[in-house]
Amino acid sequence: MTDKNRVFIFDTTLRDGEQSPGMSMNLKEKIEMAKQLERMGVDVIEAGFAISSPGDFQSVQAIADTVKNCTVASLARASEEDIDTAWSAVKGSAAPQIHLFLATSELHMKYKLKMTKKEVFDTAVAMTKRAKKYCSDIQFSAEDATRSDMDFLEKVIRGVVKAGATTINLPDTVGYTTPEEHKAFFEEIRRRVPELEDVILSCHCHNDLGLGVANSLAAVRGGARQVECTVNGIGERAGNAAMEEILMALYVRKNFYEVWANADTTEILRSSSLLSRITGVKVQPNKAIVGENAFAHEAGIHQHGVLAKAETYEIMTPASVGLKESNLVLGKHSGKHAFRDRLTTLGYTLSDEELSEAFKKFKDLADRKKSVYDKDIEAIVAKETVQVPKTYTLDRFVINSGNTITSTATVAVSREGKQTEKVARGSGPIDAAFKAIDKACGRKFDLDDYQIDAVSEGEDALGDARVVLRSDSGRTYSGRGLSTDVIEASIKAYINAINKMYYEEKEN
Ligand code: KIV
Ligand code: ZN
C-alpha cells in the first residue's frame, strides 16, 4: 500500500477529551497519558489549548518537551495572542504543530463570532499566515464544517491552504452528520478543491447521535487521511469518536478500507485502562473493544464455538488489543527482581524510586491477599506512575458502625509532620470517615461521586475506590485508593483527591 493509503491518527484525548466534565487531569497525569500515546504510536498528540489556562500551557509545554516520536499540537483560536501562546508552548517539540480553528457555519459566524463571511475569511487567512511564520506544520479546522455552506467552506479551505495550512480538518462539531452524508461531503470537498491532494485532509467527529466512529470511517471512505479521536471516546457532551474502535475497524476490515494506520493496536487496552485509572471514569462493560465483556462469551453455544474454533464468534483476537490472560503471578515470597521482571513483561518501565514504592505496596498486598494477579499489579503500578506530592498522609483510622447506631469515625492525618486527629459522625462509616478528614484538613469538600470495585476475583479481592471532589472553582479532582479493606481504600481515595487538589492549586 502506498502512503496515500496511510491514515494518520490525531489523538485529542488531552484536549477535546480533557475539557469534558469529570475528565480533568493534572500535569503528571497528562504526561503519563502522553507517554502512553507515544508508546502506542499515534501520529499527533493534541496536548491542550495553551492559552486557556496557565495549567494547560504548562502541560502542553511539558508534553512537547517529553514526547519525542509524535507531533505535538496546541489548539489556538484564530487570534494573534492565541497563536503566539500556542507557539511558545509547543516550540520545544521535535515536531510541533499549531492547530488553528475558526467557525465557518452561518450559525456560528452570526451568533457566536458576530463576524461576516468576509471577516471570517480574512481572519482565517491572516492567522494561518501568522502561525506559518512560527511553524511549518499548521492544521486549520473549519469549526462546524458539516453545517457550513459548501461554497464558503471551499473558499476558506482554498485561502488557508494557499496561506500555508498543511492539514485541513473538517469537524462535525455537534455530531450532526450521518455516515452516507459524511462520505459524500468529503468526496465533494475533494472534488471542489484539488489542492487538497497536497495536504492532509482530516475528520473530527463528535458522537451526539452515536455516529462518531461510523462517521469517521465514512470520512476515510470519502478520502480523509487523518482521523481525530480520543481514547475511550471521551470528549464534549456525548464524546468524540473512540480511537480504539476506529483502529480496530481499520485493522479487522483492512481489506474493505484499504488503508493502514501506524498505531500499535496491542497498546489499546493499556491506554484505555490508564485513562480510566487517571480520570476514575470506567468504560461501560459492553463498550466495543475495551469493555470488560468485549471478549467474554457467556452463552454456552458461543463458548462451544469459540473453543472449537475462535473465529466462529471472534472477529479479532483478545491479544490484538493487548488483552492478556489474568495470570496468577507472584506471592508474598517473591523478591524485587521477580516483581520487576513481571512488570517488564506487562510493559511497565519504572524509575528506581517508583519501583521501590510499588514493590512496598506489592509486599503489603501479598501479605493480605493470597493470590496476586496481573490486574492487581497493574492497579498498583498505574497509580504509582501518576502520584502527586502527598500533602496529607493517612496515619490511622478507627470506625464504629452498625445498623442500630450512628457511625462514628476517628481519622488521623499528617501534614508536614504535624498530626491532626478528628472525630465525626455520619450516615454510614464512609460518610463519617470523609467528614472526619474534612475536619482534620480544616476544609469542606463537595463529594461529586464515589464508587468502589474489586480489581480481581476472590473474597480477598483488592478494593479499588474512586472519589470525585469538587472545589469552589467548580473543578473536579478524582482520587483512587487501593486496599483489601474497602473503608481504607475509600479513605485513601479521598485523601488522594485532596492531594491532587492541593497539587494543582500550588501549580497554578
Ligand atoms: O469539535 C470541534 O469543532 C473542535 C475543533 C476545535 C477542532 O474540537
Ligand atoms: Zn471537537
Side-chain angles (χ1 to χ4, degrees), residues 115-183:
M115 286 167 85
T116 62
K117 279 184 171 171
K118 180 169 176 354
E119 284 167 335
V120 166
F121 175 81
D122 290 346
T123 307
V125 171
M127 292 304 113
T128 304
K129 284 185 182 159
R130 183 180 186 92
K132 192 75 181 179
K133 280 197 191 140
Y134 292 127
C135 185
S136 60
D137 190 354
I138 304 297
Q139 165 162 210
F140 180 86
S141 285
E143 193 188 5
D144 207 17
T146 50
R147 294 192 301 168
S148 300
D149 170 66
M150 262 300 193
D151 291 339
F152 182 58
L153 188 60
E154 173 187 334
K155 184 174 164 168
V156 172
I157 293 173
R158 280 228 159 84
V160 295
V161 168
K162 197 158 166 233
T166 41
T167 299
I168 296 296
N169 182 37
L170 302 178
D172 184 33
T173 303
V174 290
Y176 178 72
T177 196
T178 66
E180 297 79 2
E181 187 181 77
H182 212 38
K183 175 172 179 280

Side-chain angles (χ1 to χ4, degrees), residues 244-435:
E244 58 279 3
E245 296 178 23
I246 291 167
L247 278 179
M248 289 315 286
L250 295 181
Y251 175 73
V252 171
R253 302 302 311 273
K254 52 182 169 290
N255 292 340
F256 177 73
Y257 287 106
E258 295 182 311
V259 294
W260 64 280
N262 181 53
D264 178 359
T265 63
T266 65
E267 288 292 333
I268 283 179
L269 219 56
R270 181 130 42 115
S271 307
S272 166
S273 39
L274 178 64
L275 182 66
S276 289
R277 283 186 200 294
I278 286 175
T279 57
V281 180
K282 287 186 120 189
V283 295
Q284 79 214 42
N286 62 329
K287 162 89 176 64
I289 318 295
V290 292
E292 189 74 26
N293 297 343
F295 290 91
H297 301 279
E298 191 68 30
I301 193 164
H302 288 199
Q303 287 174 349
H304 177 76
V306 168
L307 287 175
K309 183 140 179 84
E311 287 87 337
T312 49
Y313 286 99
E314 261 179 20
I315 57 166
M316 55 200 152
T317 64
S320 66
V321 304
L323 184 66
K324 300 175 192 83
E325 284 301 309
S326 187
N327 300 324
L328 183 62
V329 276
L330 309 173
K332 66 176 176 185
H333 301 297
S334 310
K336 201 166 179 178
H337 207 78
F339 182 64
R340 191 206 307 258
D341 278 357
R342 190 65 208 159
L343 287 179
T344 311
T345 312
L346 293 172
Y348 290 93
T349 334
L350 268 61
S351 69
D352 287 347
E353 202 185 322
E354 287 166 346
L355 180 70
S356 297
E357 202 45 43
F359 184 64
K360 244 193 274 160
K361 289 190 174 150
F362 159 71
K363 278 296 205 190
D364 183 40
L365 179 64
D367 269 346
R368 301 206 220 175
K369 192 174 185 297
K370 223 170 35 208
S371 323
V372 179
Y373 295 87
D374 284 351
K375 274 188 182 176
D376 296 319
I377 293 181
E378 289 193 295
I380 293 173
V381 173
K383 198 168 173 301
E384 207 46 56
T385 52
V386 289
Q387 213 48 270
V388 295
K390 293 185 174 99
T391 307
Y392 285 99
T393 51
L394 171 67
D395 294 332
R396 60 175 178 274
F397 67 90
V398 177
I399 306 284
N400 189 16
S401 184
N403 63 346
T404 53
I405 55 166
T406 305
S407 301
T408 313
T410 307
V411 182
V413 294
S414 282
R415 181 174 183 177
E416 289 164 5
K418 186 173 170 289
Q419 191 180 82
T420 314
E421 184 176 88
K422 293 287 173 193
V423 183
R425 286 148 64 94
S427 52
I430 307 282
D431 185 43
F434 290 175
K435 285 190 170 129

Side-chain angles (χ1 to χ4, degrees), residues 12 15-16 19 46 143 169 171-174 204-206 228 236-237 239-240:
T12 183
R15 199 278 299 169
D16 221 344
Q19 75 192 36
E46 186 165 43
E143 193 188 5
N169 182 37
D172 184 33
T173 303
V174 290
H204 174 114
C205 300
H206 280 268
E228 302 202 351
E236 284 285 359
R237 307 178 307 277
N240 288 57

Side-chain angles (χ1 to χ4, degrees), residues 17-25 278-281 448 466 468 470 474-478:
E18 205 260 350
Q19 75 192 36
S20 57
M23 296 294 171
S24 52
M25 298 174 222
I278 286 175
T279 57
V281 180
D448 246 30
R466 174 210 172 220
V468 179
R470 184 174 292 274
R475 194 168 162 83
T476 53
Y477 300 87
S478 68

